[in-house]
DNA sequence: AAGGGTATCAACCGCAGAGGG
DNA sequence: GCCCTCTGCGGTTGATACCCT
């Protein structure tokens, strides 16, 4: 007895998502909340597999997702957590607010793995201790090291969630000379601190309206191109006055999205939970509580981590450093 | 300018676990 | 306990942009 396919393969669209599809999905989830993905394609009319809808939402449209360059701090955290946890990307992602497991996985596979290889071949001894030592050290030391590792992760999390800090995890802030983590310096308008899916879309659209980049590498190439097409289509219709059947609808959708985006920007967390109760509840019920941490109170776990981290600091335990 | 190689990342695939009936 | 559905996760692929010759 085989496992039934998550969707019938015929008539199911695959490949990159178009902005139209994104809008449909986002507005549906705004109304109904994420979950029950099985029914999403039928209810939205999207010719997408339910899995694809869920993936699109969790990896791209979900509120609070930060995209783009990883800061040095994030990079170090990933390296360390990968060393600690292995390829458990979801677990690693839970320590990195605003990053998706897919993003981290990609970043690891494309950047960090090579980087580490280089480092390890370059200075076998010193880096080996930091990155792979746990597999070579004796058990007693390993346990102590594990304690330290957990401590570091907690500290990093507490730093990331610290209310005094700006919303973005910004190793680049703490290290302004860092040119590798330069998304803020090269593209200030695309601070990549995404507060909502609508904001994601609105941001991309605005970015395109302002200055369609020559290169789309700083963002999603596919989606940005799709947006570009959409904007171009909108501009065409605006200039020519000839509106296609969908253009009105689309522009209305975008208007509402912008409104949503603006009200999100002007709302604090309390207002947010009141004025957008369906979405807010939805957001708070998301599987990763630390994603979008700026709009919701700390979870018990986070509180615990923060409390304990501060306790340890008082006890002088907080001297652990990354590398 | 053209063509090939490489890098990047969104999306897909398949498996596993959780939970309900 | 079994079956089924839904969801999450990690590995992999494929399309596209960029780089180099």
């Amino acid at each position: 007895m085989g496992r039934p396919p998550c969707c019938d393969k015929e008539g199911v669209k695959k490949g990159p998502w178009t902005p139209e599809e994104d809008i449909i999905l986002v507005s549906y989830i705004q109304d109904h909340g994420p979950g029950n993905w099985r029914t999403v394609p039928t209810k939205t009319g999207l010719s997408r597999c339910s899995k694809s809808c869920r993936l699109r939402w969790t990896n791209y449209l979900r509120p609070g997702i930060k995209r783009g360059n990883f800061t040095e701090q994030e990079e170090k955290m990933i390296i360390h957590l990968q060393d600690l946890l292995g390829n458990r990307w979801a677990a690693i992602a839970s320590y990195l607010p605003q990053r998706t497991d897919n993003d981290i996985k990609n970043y690891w596979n494309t950047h960090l793995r090579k980087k580490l290889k280089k480092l390890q071949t370059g200075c076998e001894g010193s880096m080996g201790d930091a990155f792979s030592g746990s597999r070579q050290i004796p058990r007693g030391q390993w346990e102590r090291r594990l304690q330290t590792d957990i401590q570091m992760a907690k500290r990093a999390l507490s730093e990331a969630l610290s209310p005094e800090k700006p919303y973005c995890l910004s190793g680049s802030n703490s290290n302004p000379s860092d040119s590798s983590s330069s998304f803020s310096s090269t593209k200030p308008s695309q601070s990549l601190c995404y507060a909502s899916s609508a904001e994601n879309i609105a941001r991309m659209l605005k970015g395109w309206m302002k200055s369609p980049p020559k290169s789309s590498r700083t963002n999603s190439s596919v989606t940005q191109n799709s947006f570009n097409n959409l904007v171009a289509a909108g501009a065409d219709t605006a200039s020519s006055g000839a509106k296609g059947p969908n253009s009105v609808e689309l522009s209305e959708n975008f208007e509402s999205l912008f409104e949503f985006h603006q009200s999100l920007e002007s709302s604090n967390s309390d207002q947010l939970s009141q004025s957008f109760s369906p979405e807010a509840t939805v957001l708070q019920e998301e599987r990763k509580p630390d994603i979008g941490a700026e709009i919701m109170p700390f979870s018990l776990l986070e509180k615990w981590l923060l409390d304990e981290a501060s306790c340890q600091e008082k006890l002088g335990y907080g001297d652990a450093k990354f590398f």
Side-chain angles (χ1 to χ4, degrees):
Chain A
M1 183 168 50
R3 186 190 163 78
C6 73
C7 51
D8 57 328
K9 303 281 176 188
E10 290 151 33
V12 173
K13 195 178 166 195
K14 287 163 96 176
W17 280 66
T18 66
E20 293 92 336
E21 289 174 314
D22 282 344
I23 289 166
I24 291 168
L25 183 60
V26 167
S27 56
Y28 175 83
I29 291 170
Q30 275 177 24
D31 288 342
H32 300 86
N36 205 6
W37 294 106
R38 187 83 167 179
T39 62
V40 171
T42 48
K43 288 192 176 170
T44 56
L46 288 167
S47 32
R48 291 278 182 175
C49 151
S50 57
K51 221 172 185 180
S52 181
C53 294
R54 181 175 56 81
L55 220 59
R56 182 65 179 169
W57 171 255
T58 53
N59 286 337
Y60 204 90
L61 300 169
R62 187 158 49 99
I65 292 178
K66 187 166 92 176
R67 310 196 64 76
N69 296 352
F70 281 70
T71 65
E72 200 177 337
Q73 188 186 2
E74 288 175 305
E75 204 171 274
K76 284 174 182 172
M77 267 195 84
I78 293 169
I79 291 167
H80 207 83
L81 288 167
Q82 205 278 340
D83 186 44
L84 195 63
L85 303 167
N87 290 2
R88 292 170 58 203
W89 305 116
I92 293 171
S94 70
Y95 284 94
L96 284 161
Q98 307 150 19
R99 298 291 188 184
T100 67
D101 50 356
N102 204 36
D103 226 11
I104 292 169
K105 185 173 57 183
N106 278 333
Y107 191 66
W108 173 265
N109 288 331
T110 54
H111 294 91
L112 297 180
R113 216 163 42 175
K114 285 178 215 160
K115 215 172 180 176
L116 286 186
K117 242 184 196 171
K118 261 188 193 171
L119 283 169
Q120 275 174 331
T121 52
C123 44
E124 202 79 39
S126 55
M127 297 312 287
D129 179 55
F131 296 134
S132 58
S134 62
R135 277 177 282 277
Q136 294 155 7
I137 54 183
R139 184 178 162 77
Q141 281 180 40
W142 184 86
E143 280 174 356
R144 277 232 300 278
R145 188 191 153 83
L146 184 64
Q147 286 272 355
T148 314
D149 284 339
I150 291 167
Q151 206 52 47
M152 285 187 206
K154 283 177 186 173
R155 274 175 59 85
L157 177 63
S158 69
E159 278 175 29
L161 295 173
S162 166
E164 290 114 50
K165 287 210 167 186
Y167 167 56
C168 286
L169 252 190
S170 45
S172 55
N173 289 352
S174 59
N175 184 11
S177 60
D178 173 34
S179 57
S180 66
S181 54
S182 58
F183 64 81
S184 56
S185 60
T186 51
K187 294 215 169 192
S189 63
Q190 296 181 2
S191 63
L192 304 174
C193 301
Y194 284 57
S196 72
S197 50
E199 185 182 358
N200 289 358
I201 293 171
R203 222 177 259 275
M204 285 191 281
L205 187 61
K206 275 185 181 174
W208 272 95
M209 283 173 156
K210 257 190 187 168
S211 55
K214 279 172 271 178
S215 151
S216 56
R217 282 211 99 55
T218 53
N219 237 320
S220 155
S221 55
V222 172
T223 310
Q224 280 212 344
N225 282 335
S226 313
F227 268 100
N228 195 23
N229 295 339
L230 194 70
V231 173
D236 282 353
T237 52
S239 59
S240 67
K243 293 203 170 198
N246 293 326
S247 58
V248 178
E249 226 176 275
L250 279 172
S251 62
E252 278 171 2
N253 275 328
F254 274 118
E255 271 174 36
S256 64
L257 284 172
F258 277 124
E259 282 165 18
F260 181 62
H261 159 66
Q262 281 164 1
S263 40
L264 266 179
E265 278 187 336
S266 63
S267 301
N268 63 26
S269 55
D270 290 334
Q271 286 167 333
L272 187 77
S273 59
Q274 282 164 9
S275 53
F276 296 103
S277 47
E279 295 83 11
T281 15
V282 160
L283 302 183
Q284 297 194 5
E285 283 166 3
E286 279 286 324
R287 76 183 159 93
K288 290 207 295 181
D290 41 2
I291 294 267
E294 82 289 357
I295 56 165
M296 64 181 78
F298 292 151
S299 70
L300 285 174
L301 174 64
E302 284 154 357
K303 275 183 182 162
W304 171 73
L305 288 170
L306 291 173
D307 288 349
E308 199 172 322
S310 61
C311 280
Q312 298 285 4
E313 248 169 74
K314 279 178 196 163
L315 292 169
Y317 200 123
D319 288 328
K321 282 180 187 167
F322 286 119
F323 314 112

